[in-house]
Amino acid sequence: MTWEILNILAVSAFAFSGSIVALNERYDIFGTFILGIATPFAGGIIRNIALDVPVVHVWEQGYLLYVAFGTIAIVYFFPKSWVMSWDRWNIYLDAIGLSAFALQGASFAIENNFPLGGIIFASILTGVGGGVTRDVLAQRRPMVLHQEIYAVWAMLSGLLIGLGIINIESAWQTYSLFIAIILLRVLSYHLGWHLRFRDMYRL
Protein backbone atom coordinates (compact mmCIF):
# COMPACT_ATOMS: atom_id res chain seq x y z
CA MET A 1 0.00 0.00 0.00
CA THR A 2 2.88 2.38 0.79
CA TRP A 3 4.38 2.08 -2.67
CA GLU A 4 1.00 2.20 -4.40
CA ILE A 5 0.26 5.55 -2.76
CA LEU A 6 3.73 6.92 -3.55
CA ASN A 7 3.48 5.75 -7.17
CA ILE A 8 0.08 7.40 -7.61
CA LEU A 9 1.39 10.65 -6.12
CA ALA A 10 4.53 10.56 -8.26
CA VAL A 11 2.76 9.73 -11.53
CA SER A 12 0.02 12.31 -11.06
CA ALA A 13 2.52 14.99 -9.96
CA PHE A 14 4.88 14.45 -12.89
CA ALA A 15 2.02 14.06 -15.39
CA PHE A 16 0.63 17.38 -14.15
CA SER A 17 4.06 19.00 -14.35
CA GLY A 18 4.68 17.75 -17.89
CA SER A 19 1.25 18.92 -19.02
CA ILE A 20 1.73 22.38 -17.54
CA VAL A 21 5.07 22.75 -19.32
CA ALA A 22 3.47 21.58 -22.59
CA LEU A 23 0.71 24.17 -22.31
CA ASN A 24 3.21 26.91 -21.46
CA GLU A 25 5.07 25.98 -24.64
CA ARG A 26 1.76 26.04 -26.58
CA TYR A 27 1.75 22.34 -27.46
CA ASP A 28 -1.36 20.86 -29.07
CA ILE A 29 -3.38 18.06 -27.46
CA PHE A 30 -1.11 15.34 -28.90
CA GLY A 31 2.05 17.06 -27.71
CA THR A 32 0.52 17.69 -24.29
CA PHE A 33 -0.33 14.02 -23.81
CA ILE A 34 3.09 12.89 -25.07
CA LEU A 35 4.92 15.22 -22.68
CA GLY A 36 2.54 14.38 -19.85
CA ILE A 37 3.13 10.65 -20.30
CA ALA A 38 6.89 10.92 -20.85
CA THR A 39 7.53 12.86 -17.65
CA PRO A 40 6.37 10.20 -15.14
CA PHE A 41 7.53 7.12 -17.05
CA ALA A 42 10.76 8.11 -18.83
CA GLY A 43 12.83 7.90 -15.64
CA GLY A 44 12.04 4.22 -15.18
CA ILE A 45 12.86 3.47 -18.81
CA ILE A 46 16.19 5.32 -18.64
CA ARG A 47 17.03 3.56 -15.35
CA ASN A 48 16.31 0.09 -16.75
CA ILE A 49 18.31 0.71 -19.92
CA ALA A 50 21.27 2.07 -17.94
CA LEU A 51 21.19 -0.86 -15.51
CA ASP A 52 20.68 -3.42 -18.30
CA VAL A 53 17.31 -4.51 -16.92
CA PRO A 54 14.41 -5.38 -19.26
CA VAL A 55 12.07 -2.42 -19.72
CA VAL A 56 9.00 -4.52 -20.48
CA HIS A 57 7.56 -4.10 -16.98
CA VAL A 58 7.60 -0.32 -17.43
CA TRP A 59 4.85 -0.70 -20.02
CA GLU A 60 2.78 -2.84 -17.67
CA GLN A 61 1.78 0.07 -15.46
CA GLY A 62 -1.93 -0.79 -15.34
CA TYR A 63 -3.91 1.75 -13.36
CA LEU A 64 -0.96 4.18 -13.24
CA LEU A 65 -1.41 4.84 -16.96
CA TYR A 66 -5.02 5.77 -16.27
CA VAL A 67 -3.87 8.05 -13.45
CA ALA A 68 -1.51 9.78 -15.88
CA PHE A 69 -4.09 10.07 -18.67
CA GLY A 70 -6.70 11.36 -16.24
CA THR A 71 -4.35 13.99 -14.85
CA ILE A 72 -3.33 15.16 -18.32
CA ALA A 73 -6.96 15.36 -19.43
CA ILE A 74 -7.85 17.50 -16.40
CA VAL A 75 -5.00 19.88 -17.15
CA TYR A 76 -5.74 20.10 -20.87
CA PHE A 77 -9.52 20.46 -20.78
CA PHE A 78 -9.86 22.72 -17.75
CA PRO A 79 -10.13 26.46 -18.51
CA LYS A 80 -6.66 27.66 -19.46
CA SER A 81 -6.85 30.62 -17.07
CA TRP A 82 -7.29 28.18 -14.19
CA VAL A 83 -4.51 25.90 -15.35
CA MET A 84 -2.02 28.73 -15.83
CA SER A 85 -2.73 29.89 -12.28
CA TRP A 86 -1.74 26.41 -11.10
CA ASP A 87 1.70 26.83 -12.73
CA ARG A 88 2.96 28.49 -9.55
CA TRP A 89 2.60 25.11 -7.81
CA ASN A 90 4.72 23.28 -10.39
CA ILE A 91 7.82 23.38 -8.18
CA TYR A 92 5.96 21.54 -5.43
CA LEU A 93 4.59 18.93 -7.83
CA ASP A 94 8.07 18.43 -9.24
CA ALA A 95 9.41 17.96 -5.70
CA ILE A 96 6.77 15.31 -4.99
CA GLY A 97 7.61 13.42 -8.17
CA LEU A 98 11.36 13.68 -7.57
CA SER A 99 11.07 12.34 -4.02
CA ALA A 100 8.66 9.50 -4.75
CA PHE A 101 10.49 8.29 -7.85
CA ALA A 102 13.89 8.50 -6.15
CA LEU A 103 12.59 6.21 -3.41
CA GLN A 104 10.99 3.93 -5.96
CA GLY A 105 14.25 3.70 -7.91
CA ALA A 106 16.20 2.73 -4.80
CA SER A 107 13.59 0.11 -3.94
CA PHE A 108 13.79 -1.29 -7.47
CA ALA A 109 17.58 -1.61 -7.23
CA ILE A 110 17.36 -3.40 -3.88
CA GLU A 111 14.79 -5.85 -5.27
CA ASN A 112 17.22 -6.62 -8.09
CA ASN A 113 20.15 -7.09 -5.67
CA PHE A 114 22.26 -4.17 -6.86
CA PRO A 115 25.12 -2.92 -4.67
CA LEU A 116 25.21 0.52 -3.06
CA GLY A 117 26.44 2.26 -6.21
CA GLY A 118 23.65 0.72 -8.26
CA ILE A 119 21.06 1.76 -5.67
CA ILE A 120 22.24 5.38 -5.72
CA PHE A 121 22.44 5.37 -9.53
CA ALA A 122 18.93 3.93 -9.84
CA SER A 123 17.58 6.47 -7.38
CA ILE A 124 19.07 9.39 -9.32
CA LEU A 125 17.99 8.17 -12.75
CA THR A 126 14.46 7.36 -11.67
CA GLY A 127 14.09 10.59 -9.72
CA VAL A 128 15.43 13.05 -12.31
CA GLY A 129 15.01 11.13 -15.58
CA GLY A 130 11.42 12.22 -16.12
CA GLY A 131 12.14 15.87 -15.44
CA VAL A 132 15.15 15.85 -17.77
CA THR A 133 13.08 14.21 -20.52
CA ARG A 134 10.32 16.79 -20.03
CA ASP A 135 12.75 19.69 -20.32
CA VAL A 136 14.56 18.25 -23.34
CA LEU A 137 11.31 17.59 -25.22
CA ALA A 138 10.16 21.12 -24.35
CA GLN A 139 13.52 22.45 -25.63
CA ARG A 140 14.46 23.80 -22.22
CA ARG A 141 17.75 23.47 -20.40
CA PRO A 142 17.30 20.59 -17.92
CA MET A 143 17.19 22.26 -14.52
CA VAL A 144 19.11 19.35 -13.03
CA LEU A 145 22.13 20.75 -14.90
CA HIS A 146 21.89 24.41 -13.97
CA GLN A 147 19.32 25.23 -11.29
CA GLU A 148 19.63 24.87 -7.53
CA ILE A 149 20.32 21.52 -5.89
CA TYR A 150 18.17 18.92 -7.61
CA ALA A 151 19.75 15.54 -8.30
CA VAL A 152 21.57 15.67 -4.95
CA TRP A 153 18.31 14.96 -3.13
CA ALA A 154 17.68 11.87 -5.25
CA MET A 155 21.24 10.75 -4.54
CA LEU A 156 20.67 11.30 -0.82
CA SER A 157 17.61 9.06 -0.95
CA GLY A 158 19.57 6.27 -2.59
CA LEU A 159 22.45 6.67 -0.14
CA LEU A 160 20.26 6.51 2.97
CA ILE A 161 18.35 3.51 1.68
CA GLY A 162 21.43 1.74 0.32
CA LEU A 163 23.27 2.10 3.63
CA GLY A 164 20.26 0.75 5.51
CA ILE A 165 19.74 3.97 7.46
CA ILE A 166 16.22 4.04 6.04
CA ASN A 167 14.38 0.72 5.94
CA ILE A 168 12.03 0.77 2.96
CA GLU A 169 10.07 -2.09 4.53
CA SER A 170 8.98 0.37 7.22
CA ALA A 171 6.08 2.57 6.10
CA TRP A 172 6.80 5.37 8.57
CA GLN A 173 10.49 5.53 7.64
CA THR A 174 9.64 5.55 3.94
CA TYR A 175 7.08 8.32 4.31
CA SER A 176 9.43 10.29 6.57
CA LEU A 177 12.17 10.22 3.92
CA PHE A 178 9.61 11.04 1.23
CA ILE A 179 8.49 14.17 3.08
CA ALA A 180 12.06 15.14 4.02
CA ILE A 181 13.23 15.06 0.40
CA ILE A 182 10.25 17.17 -0.67
CA LEU A 183 11.05 19.75 2.00
CA LEU A 184 14.74 19.83 1.09
CA ARG A 185 13.95 20.27 -2.60
CA VAL A 186 11.48 23.10 -1.90
CA LEU A 187 13.90 24.79 0.50
CA SER A 188 16.74 24.56 -2.02
CA TYR A 189 14.47 26.26 -4.56
CA HIS A 190 13.23 29.08 -2.36
CA LEU A 191 16.59 29.73 -0.69
CA GLY A 192 18.54 29.49 -3.93
CA TRP A 193 20.92 26.73 -2.85
CA HIS A 194 23.17 25.65 -5.71
CA LEU A 195 26.43 23.87 -6.49
CA ARG A 196 28.10 26.65 -8.48
CA PHE A 197 31.05 27.03 -6.11
CA ARG A 198 32.89 29.29 -8.52
CA ASP A 199 30.32 32.02 -7.80
CA MET A 200 31.56 32.08 -4.22
CA TYR A 201 34.99 33.19 -5.38
CA ARG A 202 34.02 35.49 -8.23
CA LEU A 203 35.49 38.99 -7.88
Side-chain angles (χ1 to χ4, degrees):
M1 181 61 70
T2 299
W3 291 109
E4 289 180 0
I5 294 173
L6 288 179
N7 283 333
I8 290 173
L9 288 173
V11 168
S12 59
F14 264 11
F16 194 103
S17 176
S19 303
I20 289 290
V21 170
L23 291 178
N24 280 332
E25 298 296 328
R26 300 184 182 278
Y27 281 29
D28 61 15
I29 185 171
F30 181 76
T32 301
F33 271 84
I34 290 296
L35 199 59
I37 288 294
T39 306
F41 297 117
I45 295 173
I46 295 171
R47 174 201 64 210
N48 285 22
I49 292 174
L51 296 178
D52 196 24
V53 176
V55 299
V56 62
H57 83 280
V58 175
W59 307 112
E60 300 172 349
Q61 297 295 329
Y63 69 93
L64 292 177
L65 280 174
Y66 297 112
V67 170
F69 276 116
T71 302
I72 298 166
I74 289 173
V75 173
Y76 189 83
F77 291 109
F78 260 55
K80 296 299 182 288
S81 59
W82 294 10
V83 173
M84 290 303 110
S85 69
W86 297 343
D87 187 39
R88 75 188 71 172
W89 304 104
N90 210 2
I91 175 61
Y92 304 102
L93 296 170
D94 191 80
I96 292 171
L98 168 70
S99 180
F101 276 127
L103 268 66
Q104 194 263 0
S107 174
F108 175 86
I110 289 176
E111 290 177 2
N112 286 273
N113 300 313
F114 280 95
L116 177 60
I119 295 171
I120 296 173
F121 193 53
S123 185
I124 294 173
L125 289 181
T126 313
V128 309
V132 170
T133 302
R134 174 199 61 209
D135 292 340
V136 169
L137 291 177
Q139 298 184 341
R140 298 179 171 187
R141 285 192 302 166
M143 60 182 172
V144 66
L145 301 179
H146 74 98
Q147 284 187 11
E148 306 100 26
I149 300 176
Y150 190 79
V152 170
W153 305 129
M155 181 179 69
L156 178 62
S157 296
L159 180 64
L160 293 176
I161 293 173
L163 291 175
I165 297 173
I166 297 295
N167 179 11
I168 58 173
E169 298 298 325
S170 168
W172 77 267
Q173 290 189 38
T174 301
Y175 280 123
S176 295
L177 181 59
F178 170 65
I179 294 171
I181 296 300
I182 292 174
L183 293 176
L184 288 169
R185 167 61 188 137
V186 171
L187 279 174
S188 69
Y189 172 79
H190 286 294
L191 298 180
W193 296 346
H194 56 75
L195 298 176
R196 296 193 298 271
F197 294 111
R198 64 175 186 170
D199 292 347
M200 298 171 58
Y201 304 103
R202 183 174 295 170
L203 299 177

